[in-house]
Amino acid sequence: MTDHVIVTDDTAARIITMRRPDKKNALTQSMYITMAEAITSAQTNPAIRSIVISGGSGVFTAGNDLEDFARANAAGSDDARPMAATQFLKALAHNEKPLIGAVDGIAVGVGTTMLFHCDYVLASTTATFSTPFIHLGLVPEAASSLLAPRTMGLQRAFAMLVMGRTVNADEAREAGFVNAVVAPGHTEVEALKVAREIGALPPGAVALTRKLLRPARGDVLRRIDEESQLFGERLKSDEARNAFAAFFARKKKA
Ligand code: COA
């Protein structure tokens, strides 16, 4: 459990809110675990018809906590990526409830890759989406190397995942991973409207139809494992070490 993630149940949806504003909602190991448990425990509760993931107002998340990455870089083990993150990513892959993303502000790294597991995404006009793994000497995660090209086509996925380019809310809608762009501060309320709309539909048919739309779970889990192995290796690389050091050196100068 962590105070940095708030889990609440509305009439139609479980709402998972990342709340670590002083660090732009950067995700720690305990945040991943709390989020994974919130997703997993929702599966067996028929009253929860959808899950909303939100960062509240102003920021979605700055991605994985870079201090945790730096620690993994310094650690001697040959492990794949630290387990808490993988637990969260696998909870996303196993999830069978409609998943709604509410993105107000920046969505960096896993902040963007988790959206490829969402079924409906609301973004505010201030939202930006970036997967700067390449700049950190890392590789994609969360099966984004499989899901991003499937969602937006190879060329757009290349620009994001290989070139590390950022896209804004309108570009993300055009690319197909954002449904609607709304005013800043309105993503969560709009997400709840979507959850209520879904909640009024026949649950059995929603579950089956969602499953038919999504790629085979086994393929997604295999890709998460493949990426996670490479990610763990890259976390130990000199390229990654230098990138983490540069980020924290930048902070010290400011
Ligand atoms: N991990 C750990 N701390 C982070 C963080 C992260 N991913 N992102 C931001 N923070 C911290 C900063 O260190 C800073 O902490 P401090 O006030 O104690 O120094 C605080 O959050 C605010 O960040 P700051 O950089 O001052 O805000 P900004 O508005 O100028 O920039 C970002 C925001 C997100 C663009 C910038 O912080 C950034 O690039 N973060 C790293 C993103 C990243 O690479 N994530 C991993 C992806 S795989």
Side-chain angles (χ1 to χ4, degrees), residues 178-226:
V178 161
N179 291 75
V181 180
V182 301
H186 285 69
T187 50
E188 207 167 294
V189 78
E190 292 299 326
L192 284 174
K193 281 189 200 162
V194 172
R196 286 192 195 109
E197 188 181 332
I198 294 168
L201 300 170
V206 167
L208 283 172
T209 308
R210 178 185 186 272
K211 192 172 175 191
L212 287 166
L213 258 53
R214 300 212 62 91
R217 182 181 297 149
D219 292 347
V220 175
L221 288 167
R222 261 189 303 281
R223 187 59 67 96
I224 288 175
D225 281 338
E226 241 178 275

Side-chain angles (χ1 to χ4, degrees), residues 68-81:
D68 279 354
F69 275 174
R71 263 192 291 278
N73 176 282
S77 74
D78 288 332
D79 287 351
R81 186 174 185 181

Side-chain angles (χ1 to χ4, degrees), residues 20-28 32 59 61-69 81 106-111 128 130-136 138-139 141 231 243-244 247-248 250-252 254:
R20 196 186 173 209
D22 54 324
K23 297 290 180 186
K24 305 269 174 191
N25 292 342
L27 293 170
T28 60
Y32 279 126
V59 58
T61 170
N64 200 105
D65 189 295
L66 286 176
E67 288 195 35
D68 279 354
F69 275 174
R81 186 174 185 181
I106 53 164
V108 185
V110 69
T128 59
S130 61
T131 48
F133 305 111
I134 204 82
H135 302 307
L136 297 169
L138 300 172
V139 292
E141 42 144 47
F231 202 100
F244 304 149
F247 177 73
F248 291 109
R250 173 183 80 90
K251 297 310 299 170
K252 277 179 201 132

Side-chain angles (χ1 to χ4, degrees), residues 9-30:
D9 289 341
D10 184 67
T11 45
R14 168 156 293 181
I15 306 155
I16 302 173
T17 307
M18 299 169 279
R19 191 161 296 165
R20 196 186 173 209
D22 54 324
K23 297 290 180 186
K24 305 269 174 191
N25 292 342
L27 293 170
T28 60
Q29 302 297 296
S30 55

Side-chain angles (χ1 to χ4, degrees), residues 139-170:
V139 292
E141 42 144 47
S144 58
S145 61
L146 178 73
L147 302 176
R150 186 182 191 268
T151 306
M152 62 175 109
L154 178 66
Q155 286 77 5
R156 281 168 163 147
F158 183 94
M160 281 195 87
L161 291 170
V162 180
M163 299 174 73
R165 284 203 191 153
T166 300
V167 303
N168 65 28
D170 285 333

